């Protein structure tokens, strides 16, 4: 199709990635934000989000004239063909999604949209939001479309430009297909449907992944109790095409900017219809239980009492490849440790700012200095390459708790330390070479 004039409201992970990637597809994109400092930095090509390939796409769009950044949505939308809403929809009171940012933008632009423009919700919004926006706009000449994003932090650009599918829904005939056509050059399968179905797809997908993670964490706990190895179990499961290999890695619990709020929002939506989604409720409860199990493992590693224990943490971001701390399970574990009186020192390659009660240092070796136990909480590959002999010399205790099953146990053992993973046999004795 011909290039479209697109306005993207919001320049967070979703908005900036959406804007830069749509510009790379040949559309003319204006990104809008209320933060004047942020707009100035982006206009100069300065991207503060840690996302591989994003800064390069922004620079290319700025240089090519297909991407620009402005303050103020009302003026920006006057000649738009489509306006993508990429503003936050955080967890609100009682766990439901907070739509105030969406509603504020819609109210701001309603009288400034040109006829036949499409308003597109890219943010994750509850079922019924498309119709709610239509009512707020009060304009029969404006189509409202749901086009949920499926971007993973750390791989957002690749996910946008190489998607598994494009999902678009609207109750206005033809509008959903028109938006789907914006992505035609990607060659991805398109699911073109009604608005409610498109809105529910995102929640259904995210909540399924959350339940899968809670399930594998429960299986990992059973592995420890039965003396089985979670890596062998998940390998056996993953070969089954009905199950697949993805999201079968145990850890300290799931978190980030999406899964916690989306599971809670779908639970609240279900309750509003009189349906008790007990399976999803159990997955959320299991996620909280996993954090408690991690805390209990750390307590046992330091003799049962966390008060005044010195704990070195490796990782604070919710996943490797990002500096995002939103609902990070690593940060959640750290906060509980602090609440129990532990002295917590942490290192994360992408996080430099201090966190409440936590001493954030600039190297893994400083985090380990004097530690009674070292805990791996984020799966940064560089932790595999640490000098564990030097780590052992720095530590006061000898326990390494690897909540991501990231490290090579033999490497840790050879340094004179004990290693404990999640759902794996505990390795406590140093490997002694046989001398003949």
């Amino acid at each position: 199709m011909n290039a479209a004039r697109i306005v993207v409201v919001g320049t967070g992970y979703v908005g900036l990635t959406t804007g830069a990637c749509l510009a790379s597809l040949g559309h003319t994109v204006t990104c809008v934000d209320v933060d004047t400092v942020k707009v100035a930095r982006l206009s100069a090509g300065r991207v503060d989000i840690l996302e591989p390939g994003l800064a390069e796409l922004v620079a290319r769009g700025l240089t090519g004239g297909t991407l620009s950044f402005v303050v103020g949505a009302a003026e920006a939308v006057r000649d738009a063909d489509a306006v993508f809403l990429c503003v936050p929809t955080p967890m609100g009171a009682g766990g439901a999604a907070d739509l105030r940012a969406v509603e504020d933008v819609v109210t701001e632009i309603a009288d400034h949209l040109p006829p036949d423009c499409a308003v597109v919700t890219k943010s994750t919004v509850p079922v019924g939001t498309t119709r709610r926006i239509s009512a707020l706009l009060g304009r029969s000449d404006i189509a409202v479309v749901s086009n949920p994003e499926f971007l993973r932090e750390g791989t957002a650009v690749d996910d946008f430009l190489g998607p598994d599918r494009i999902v678009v829904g609207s109750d206005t005939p033809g509008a959903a297909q028109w938006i789907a056509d914006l992505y035609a050059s990607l060659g991805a399968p398109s699911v073109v449907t009604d608005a409610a179905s498109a809105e529910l797809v995102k929640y259904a997908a995210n909540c399924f992944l959350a339940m899968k993670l809670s399930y594998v964490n429960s299986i990992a706990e059973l592995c420890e109790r039965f003396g089985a190895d979670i890596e062998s179990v998940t390998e056996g499961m993953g070969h089954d095409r009905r199950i697949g290999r993805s999201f079968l890695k145990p850890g300290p619990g799931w978190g980030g900017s999406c899964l916690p709020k989306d599971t809670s929002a779908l639970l609240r939506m279900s309750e509003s219809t009189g349906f008790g989604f007990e399976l999803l409720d159990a997955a959320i409860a299991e996620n909280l239980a996993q954090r408690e199990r991690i805390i209990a493992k750390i307590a046992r590693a330091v003799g049962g009492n966390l008060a005044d224990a010195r704990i070195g943490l490796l990782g604070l971001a919710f996943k490797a490849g990002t500096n995002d701390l939103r609902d990070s399970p690593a940060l959640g574990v750290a906060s509980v440790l602090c609440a129990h009186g532990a002295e917590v020192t942490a290192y994360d390659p992408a996080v430099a700012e201090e966190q409440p009660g936590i001493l954030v240092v600039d190297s893994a070796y400083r985090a380990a200095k004097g530690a009674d136990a070292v805990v791996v909480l984020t799966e940064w590959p560089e932790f595999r390459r640490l000098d564990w002999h030097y780590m052992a010399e720095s530590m006061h205790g000898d326990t390494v708790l690897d909540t991501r099953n990231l490290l090579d146990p033999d490497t840790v053992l050879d340094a004179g330390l004990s290693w404990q993973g999640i759902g794996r046999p505990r390795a406590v004795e140093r490997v002694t070479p046989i001398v003949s």
Side-chain angles (χ1 to χ4, degrees):
M1 67 171 296
N2 295 328
R5 294 167 298 180
I6 297 173
V7 172
V8 175
V9 183
T11 59
Y13 273 97
V14 174
L16 187 57
T17 302
T18 297
C21 288
L22 285 173
S24 77
L25 298 181
H27 304 294
T28 301
V29 181
T30 300
C31 291
V32 178
D33 205 284
V34 295
D35 188 333
T36 56
V37 173
K38 189 176 185 181
V39 167
R41 289 177 64 82
L42 288 171
S43 297
R46 300 173 67 180
V47 177
D48 296 323
I49 295 172
L50 181 61
E51 195 62 56
L54 184 56
E56 292 79 2
L57 276 186
V58 169
R60 193 182 310 161
L62 290 170
T63 301
T66 57
L67 182 64
S68 60
F69 298 91
V70 301
V71 176
E75 289 299 318
V77 303
R78 289 185 182 277
D79 62 350
D81 296 316
V83 178
F84 282 71
L85 305 182
C86 301
V87 295
T89 54
M91 190 186 304
D98 185 343
L99 296 179
R100 284 179 293 181
V102 172
E103 293 171 348
D104 287 347
V105 172
V106 171
T107 301
E108 179 184 357
I109 66 176
D111 295 333
H112 302 278
L113 294 166
D116 300 321
C117 179
V119 173
V120 185
T121 56
K122 200 72 173 169
S123 304
T124 303
V125 294
V127 177
T129 301
T130 297
R131 294 175 182 175
R132 188 171 176 178
I133 290 174
S134 293
L136 280 174
L137 288 171
R139 293 182 54 175
S140 60
D141 60 333
I142 302 296
V144 183
V145 181
S146 173
N147 175 213
E149 53 84 15
F150 300 96
L151 307 178
R152 298 166 297 168
E153 291 186 37
T155 58
V157 171
D158 289 343
D159 290 342
F160 192 103
L161 298 178
D164 295 326
R165 75 294 201 193
I166 303 294
V167 177
V168 190
S170 179
D171 296 330
T172 301
Q177 187 60 59
W178 184 83
I179 294 299
D181 288 344
L182 296 176
Y183 302 92
S185 62
L186 297 178
S190 293
V191 178
V192 179
T193 183
D194 61 276
S197 297
E199 290 166 338
L200 189 54
V201 166
K202 177 60 183 291
Y203 284 104
N206 273 3
C207 292
F208 180 82
L209 295 176
M211 289 190 291
K212 195 172 181 181
L213 287 170
S214 285
Y215 180 79
V216 79
N217 280 335
S218 295
I219 294 297
E221 178 65 17
L222 283 181
C223 284
E224 293 184 13
R225 298 185 182 210
F226 289 138
D229 189 333
I230 188 63
E231 293 201 349
S232 296
V233 172
T234 54
E235 181 182 3
M237 293 170 62
H239 282 293
D240 189 326
R241 287 173 293 179
R242 298 169 301 172
I243 297 173
R245 298 174 182 271
S246 65
F247 281 71
L248 286 182
K249 288 280 188 181
W254 41 265
S257 61
C258 293
L259 297 190
K261 74 179 183 68
D262 291 352
T263 50
S264 180
L266 185 57
L267 200 59
R268 298 289 87 78
M269 280 187 275
S270 300
E271 291 172 352
S272 72
T273 70
F275 173 62
F277 203 152
E278 295 179 2
L279 183 60
L280 182 57
D281 199 12
I284 295 171
E286 166 58 27
N287 194 48
L288 295 175
Q290 180 69 357
R291 180 183 301 178
E292 294 304 315
R293 287 195 288 266
I294 297 298
I295 295 297
K297 290 176 188 290
I298 298 172
R300 288 194 294 269
V302 298
N305 186 10
L306 289 169
D308 299 323
R310 302 186 70 179
I311 310 296
L313 302 183
L314 300 185
L316 288 174
F318 92 94
K319 65 181 287 189
T322 179
N323 57 357
D324 197 346
L325 297 173
R326 288 176 292 179
D327 274 303
S328 167
L331 200 56
V333 168
S335 299
V336 175
L337 291 173
C338 292
H340 281 82
E343 182 181 331
V344 178
T345 305
Y347 167 69
D348 188 291
V351 179
E353 63 271 20
E354 292 294 318
Q355 303 299 318
I358 305 168
L359 175 62
V360 179
V361 295
D362 59 4
S363 77
Y365 303 111
R366 288 190 63 192
K369 187 175 181 179
D372 296 308
V374 166
V375 185
V376 178
L377 289 169
T378 308
E379 70 280 21
W380 287 100
E382 72 174 62
F383 296 155
R384 294 195 192 101
R385 301 188 294 271
L386 292 172
D387 182 340
W388 283 94
H389 285 276
Y390 186 59
M391 291 283 283
E393 292 173 4
S394 299
M395 292 173 62
H396 175 263
D398 66 357
T399 298
V400 175
L401 176 57
D402 184 1
T403 73
R404 297 287 187 170
N405 293 342
L406 176 73
L407 308 176
D408 175 16
D410 288 339
T411 299
V412 177
L413 292 172
D414 192 53
L417 298 168
S418 67
W419 176 91
Q420 182 181 3
I422 301 297
R424 302 205 63 201
R426 185 170 184 176
V428 296
E429 296 180 0
R430 180 177 182 173
V431 175
T432 304
I434 299 175
V435 179
S436 57

